[in-house]
Amino acid sequence: MIIINVKDGESLDKALKRFKKKFEKTGVLRELRSRQAFEKKSVTRRHEVKHAIYKQNMNLETNV
């Protein structure tokens, strides 16, 4: 369960934004979407490798 303490004088929008950030970090929504359809381990691994290559290329471009 995610608990957000609203500080004195803090707007509801800011508190909601902090809640959304915490919720995103937990990864609940990402896991829910991944469980909707079964994906073979080989396909999952392929996606992870593609993502790692993409990130590596992005880091190389920013360093140049």
Side-chain angles (χ1 to χ4, degrees):
M1 178 166 51
I2 301 174
I3 298 173
I4 300 292
N5 295 325
V6 180
K7 300 171 186 166
D8 292 335
E10 183 181 24
S11 70
L12 194 58
D13 290 332
K14 282 193 175 188
L16 186 61
K17 192 172 186 177
R18 283 194 300 129
F19 170 77
K20 286 180 181 179
K21 276 187 180 180
K22 268 192 176 181
F23 183 75
E24 187 72 30
K25 281 186 179 180
T26 59
V28 173
L29 207 55
R30 194 176 329 121
E31 185 178 338
L32 179 72
R33 287 184 181 140
S34 70
R35 289 180 182 226
Q36 284 181 345
F38 179 76
E39 191 173 70
K40 289 177 18 179
K41 288 184 181 180
S42 60
V43 175
T44 305
R45 179 73 181 138
R46 195 175 315 135
H47 285 298
E48 288 175 1
V49 169
K50 270 188 162 181
H51 185 68
I53 292 170
Y54 172 78
K55 283 177 68 174
Q56 191 175 27
N57 288 339
M58 290 299 290
N59 286 337
L60 289 175
E61 288 177 8
T62 57
N63 291 337
V64 172

